Amino acid sequence: MPLPFQQVWDPQDSVTIVTGASSGIGFELTRMLVDQGAHVVAVARRRERLTELANSTSRPERVHCIAGDVTEASTRMAALNVADSLGDGRLDLLVNNAGVGAIGPFADASPERMRRVMEVNFFAPVDWTRDALPRLRSVSQNGGRPVICNIGSVLGHRAVPDKSEYCASKFALHGWNDSLRAELVGDGIGVTLVSPSTTRSEFFDSLVETEPDQKSNSIGSWPPRRVAQATLLAIKRGRSEVILSLGGKALVYADRVSPPVMNGILAKRGR
Ligand SMILES: NC(=O)c1ccc[n+]([C@@H]2O[C@H](COP(=O)([O-])OP(=O)(O)OC[C@H]3O[C@@H](n4cnc5c(N)ncnc54)[C@H](OP(=O)(O)O)[C@@H]3O)[C@@H](O)[C@H]2O)c1
């Protein structure tokens, strides 16, 4: 049956890397990629969760687990070496998904909170992409259409109070992503930014230096599987950017229409 859209990226027999694969969006995305014929190098710190992930797929032998911190060069090198052995130096997809959050006023936080969030959410994707680029290029030079997919956030389009570190990291990711996309068009490498809104994952259980009673206020939330489905569709379609959920779109587009109104609303919520 013909597909209802033009597919520019095909998971079948592709060599892919997904960071942050041990839970939430990365877990679900890895399962979908494997079910659709991809080999996935799955990266996260919790080895036992990666093993669970592999065993939950239709083809466990296609999940190649790398347990390590994404901010460490040794983790990156281990993952790229496995991808090299699978694809003979080619890489079809890099998904920079691993991420952490923090909640609470900037003035009360230690300098380390900002540094940690920026390291995981911004510098790690930058470093992984830099090292992946030659492998992605080798695909486009052979007629393929490789993709870098960055998992951002609606908070990388509109900042809110009490999440200054997270917003800064996702704004940085967004800006870098857009420059990169324009630079890589001529190389035939696609760059997709996916910006989810609140997702019912383990994200809020592992916030950096955050009081246990801190909550995230948002309108509606999506399960990780739905975010992963939208992400895979965006990759296959070669989309530049997708903003997810009604609440997420409302936040981003209302801000584009009238930033002063949104500033007023958020300032009231902050009081
Ligand atoms: N949840 C939301 O409301 C929401 C909204 C918008 C955007 N996002 C973004 O979506 C992405 C995925 O988040 P999620 O909702 O699926 O959260 P999650 O369930 O907490 O998953 C985060 C993943 O990142 C990994 N990770 C975190 N720090 C890491 C590190 N230093 N090294 C290696 N892996 C690390 C975690 O694995 P280990 O702990 O095993 O290392 C886990 O696999 C993130 O970039 C997040 O910013 C989430």
Side-chain angles (χ1 to χ4, degrees), residues 19-27 43-47 49-50 68-71 75 96-101 116 120-121 151-155 166 170 173 194-206 216 224 227:
T19 69
S22 65
S23 69
I25 300 165
F27 185 97
V43 185
R45 288 164 302 180
R46 288 171 292 174
R47 182 183 297 279
R49 297 290 290 269
L50 293 174
D69 192 312
V70 281
T71 65
T75 308
N96 288 309
N97 166 72
V100 287
R116 182 64 186 160
V120 178
N121 293 2
I151 306 298
S153 166
V154 293
L155 301 185
Y166 187 71
K170 294 295 185 178
L173 187 75
V194 175
S195 298
S197 186
T198 306
T199 306
R200 296 192 292 277
S201 64
E202 296 175 19
F203 187 77
F204 297 99
D205 302 334
S206 52
S216 179
V227 177

Side-chain angles (χ1 to χ4, degrees), residues 83-131:
D84 286 348
S85 68
L86 291 167
D88 211 9
R90 81 168 216 272
L91 180 66
D92 298 285
L93 171 68
L94 168 66
V95 184
N96 288 309
N97 166 72
V100 287
I103 304 182
F106 169 75
D108 298 348
S110 74
E112 286 70 40
R113 187 163 85 173
M114 181 66 91
R115 293 208 178 275
R116 182 64 186 160
V117 174
M118 290 297 293
E119 285 293 344
V120 178
N121 293 2
F122 178 64
F123 288 111
V126 167
D127 289 339
W128 281 73
T129 300
R130 186 181 289 110
D131 288 343

Side-chain angles (χ1 to χ4, degrees), residues 170-206:
K170 294 295 185 178
F171 264 76
L173 187 75
H174 181 177
W176 165 75
N177 175 94
D178 287 2
S179 285
L180 191 69
R181 182 192 298 122
E183 288 178 19
L184 295 181
V185 166
D187 290 346
I189 301 173
V191 179
T192 298
L193 178 68
V194 175
S195 298
S197 186
T198 306
T199 306
R200 296 192 292 277
S201 64
E202 296 175 19
F203 187 77
F204 297 99
D205 302 334
S206 52

Side-chain angles (χ1 to χ4, degrees), residues 244-266:
L244 303 182
S245 98
L246 205 57
K249 286 186 171 78
L251 178 77
V252 174
Y253 296 127
D255 182 59
R256 285 185 189 169
V257 171
S258 181
V261 170
M262 189 56 80
N263 288 342
I265 293 169
L266 293 173

Side-chain angles (χ1 to χ4, degrees), residues 60-73:
E61 74 283 3
R62 288 195 171 223
V63 183
H64 309 270
C65 304
I66 299 292
D69 192 312
V70 281
T71 65
E72 287 173 14

